[in-house]
Structure formats: C-alpha cells, structure tokens
Amino acid sequence: MSAVTVRVPAKVNLQLAVGPLRDDGYHDLVNVFHAVSLFDEVTAAEPDDRSAPGATVTVRVEGESAADVPASDDNLAVRAARALAGWAGRSYRADLLIRKAIPVAGGMAGGSADAAAALVACNELWGLGLPLADLMEIGADIGSDVPFALLGGTAVGTGRGERLTALPTSGVFHWAFALADGGLSTPRVYGECDRLRADAGEEAAWPSVSEPLLAALREGDAGRLGRALTNDLQPAALALRPSLEGTLRAGRGRGALGAIVSGSGPTCAFLAESEAHAAELAAALKGADGCRAAVTASGPVPGATVAG
Ligand code: C5P
C-alpha cells in the first residue's frame, strides 16, 4: 500500500470536571467526551524521491488555520508516527499530509485528532496490524485526548482523561459551534482555573460523573443533556477571552438547549433541538461577539477510521 487516508473527528466535552493539580502537572479529571462530525483528514504516504533525505517522517498541513500548525518535529502527528515506529522497534518512513477542518487550539482536540489519525494511517501503511488498545496506549503518551480520538463515540475519561469507558447513548445530537479568532493555550487555561480557585479560596473537589448527564445520553434526551452540560474550565476561558460571554449569550438567545465553552476553548458549543435548529443557530452566531465563523455537526460519530 503506498498511501492511507484516515478521517478523524473533533470532540466536545459534555462534562469537564477538573480535580486537584497532580505532582506531574496534570489535573485529575472526569471528562465526558463526545465525538462530532467535524473531521480532519490525515494521509500517510510512502516517501518518494523528492522527500527530504534522511527524514523519517515529514508533514505538510493544509486547510483551516494551517499556518498555525507546526510543520516540524513538534507536530503531534509526527510525534505519534515516530512513537509508533519506536514501539514496532524499526525505523519506518512516511510523508504525512494533514487537511484541517477542526479549529486549531480551539478546545476541540484537533492536535490530538491528528495524532490519532497518524497512528491509524501508519499502522496500516506499515502493515503493523497493532490492535486499537496498543494504539491507545501509544497515543496517551502523545496527549491526554489522543485515546478518545481513536475510540470516538461518547466516553468518560478519568485520570488525566486518557482512561476511557464507552458510554451508551441513544439517537443523534445536533450541534452548532462558534469558532473564535485565534486559539487559547490549554496549559494557560488550566493555570487560570487554578489561579481563580486559589483566589476564591476554593479547594478542588474530587470529580465525579454527572448522573443526570448519563441518563440524558442513555435516553437521547437533548433537552436534559443541554441542562446537564458543565465545564469547570469555562470561567478560566471566559476570564482570558471575555468576548466569549457575548457568543454564549447569542446562542442562548436563539434557543440553544445548552451553551458551553468546548474544553479549554475558545470554541463555543451549542446543543440544538434538530438539524434545522443547528443551522439556524450557526447562521445567527456568525454575527455574534467573539465569533469568527460557525459550523454545524452531529454526534456521536466513530473515532479515527481509514477513509473509503
Ligand atoms: O495531555 P495534553 O498534552 O493534551 O495536555 C496539555 C496541557 O493541558 C498539559 O500540559 C496540562 O497543562 C494541561 N492538562 C492538565 N490536566 C489534564 C490534561 C491536560 O492540566 N488532565
């Protein structure tokens, strides 16, 4: 096989409960992930004669804010491909092409998605045949959200978010997403969350999964799910990007069942009553404060999958 293309979804966090800061710099979480139909594509190809001599893995990036993604050894997809070759105990070569639609540094795990897609694509290109569980273990070292981008669907993550249990859901949920100008640094948002808590004299509680959220997912009840959405990083994201208040207000004003900052932001997620309502929300959000562009998507969808 000379090239493999993998499609990988973005995620939104339905519950992001942030516990105490650990000694390793991470926070213990309860993180309910939900994969939505906004996809990046990663192609892994056998290098041809024009590839840089000596380079084992190269990368090019196209599409949504491609210029903001490092096309270097720091790229998470490159790191993932190299880690996979290391796991297999050989020096494999690949040229990666990433086509982005997931917002960069947007709180939708776009970088982790590309790492997950690179693992699936190179596993296939190099004929390694590693099972999903091995790819998830390799991915967890690249980023906390990589295992979920491999798994997809809806799942609860504990630890730093990498220990996953799939959750039963019914039906399809329809979403509108408001994309912001520029990204927010994830470590900075976690740091601001710690700072706000310290200022308020709050101890971080040990996180636990929301029972009303689980029931809403099981029953496919969008109204209940909208009311159960929570994100402990939201106050920190709003403190760092106050214009997002206007974005959230605009979606609520148009009848969103739930309105929330996605992960560490700045993308905002709005749960809709139907596909048509999601389209209406997206159209209204385009003019809102803090919103650069708006898209619709639905979930849950599968994780990183070989295309075609
Ligand atoms: O694992 P990942 O590289 O995606 O994490 C990025 C940053 O987000 C970490 O360096 C850390 O600052 C923060 N983080 C955290 N607790 C987690 C996950 C991420 O503090 N559970």
Side-chain angles (χ1 to χ4, degrees):
M1 199 165 301
S2 61
V4 178
T5 295
V6 169
R7 201 168 81 136
V8 63
K11 61 84 181 159
V12 57
N13 304 88
L14 306 179
Q15 179 189 4
L16 182 45
V18 179
L21 180 61
R22 311 191 317 198
D23 291 344
D24 64 0
Y26 287 87
H27 296 74
D28 274 304
L29 305 178
V30 163
N31 194 348
V32 179
F33 295 101
H34 180 66
V36 294
S37 61
L38 178 60
F39 298 101
D40 279 1
E41 268 185 10
V42 176
T43 300
E46 277 173 9
D48 61 24
D49 296 342
R50 287 164 295 158
S51 298
T56 52
V57 181
T58 68
V59 67
R60 280 186 303 130
V61 188
E62 293 177 352
E64 158 79 25
S65 305
D68 298 335
V69 180
S72 64
D73 288 357
D74 292 339
N75 187 291
L76 291 185
V78 173
R79 288 179 44 203
R82 293 225 165 104
L84 179 65
W87 175 285
R90 277 195 44 192
S91 162
Y92 289 95
R93 300 181 70 205
D95 288 341
L96 302 178
L97 171 61
I98 302 175
R99 292 185 204 83
K100 292 224 54 86
I102 305 174
V104 176
M108 298 191 81
S112 293
D114 298 343
L119 289 174
V120 173
C122 291
N123 189 37
E124 185 88 8
L125 181 74
W126 298 335
L128 300 176
L130 291 187
L132 181 64
D134 287 358
L135 298 182
M136 287 169 78
E137 201 178 321
I138 299 166
D141 284 341
I142 307 294
S144 307
D145 294 347
V146 178
F148 177 71
L150 289 161
L151 186 68
T154 305
V156 58
T158 55
R160 61 187 165 86
E162 85 288 14
R163 289 205 301 265
L164 294 172
T165 308
L167 292 175
T169 64
S170 307
V172 177
F173 297 103
H174 297 282
W175 298 89
F177 293 97
L179 280 48
D181 264 323
L184 275 176
S185 144
T186 303
R188 196 160 163 236
V189 176
Y190 274 98
E192 181 69 8
C193 175
D194 291 336
R195 199 187 62 75
L196 290 175
R197 284 174 168 175
D199 282 359
E202 269 174 33
E203 285 282 316
W206 193 255
S208 62
V209 68
S210 154
E211 289 300 329
L213 183 86
L214 296 183
L217 286 169
R218 249 186 341 256
E219 289 157 22
D221 184 334
R224 253 179 114 182
L225 180 63
R227 290 190 294 279
L229 299 173
T230 55
N231 179 0
D232 284 356
L233 291 181
Q234 183 159 312
L238 292 177
L240 295 170
R241 192 69 71 84
S243 63
L244 298 181
E245 297 270 14
T247 314
L248 292 172
R249 210 177 311 119
R252 287 191 197 109
R254 290 291 178 136
L257 301 174
I260 199 165
V261 171
S262 178
S264 55
T267 305
C268 291
F270 302 88
L271 186 59
E273 286 169 14
S274 62
E275 195 175 352
H277 184 214
E280 253 175 60
L281 280 170
L285 286 165
K286 279 176 187 153
D289 204 17
C291 177
R292 162 173 68 84
V295 295
T296 60
S298 61
V301 295
T305 309
V306 175

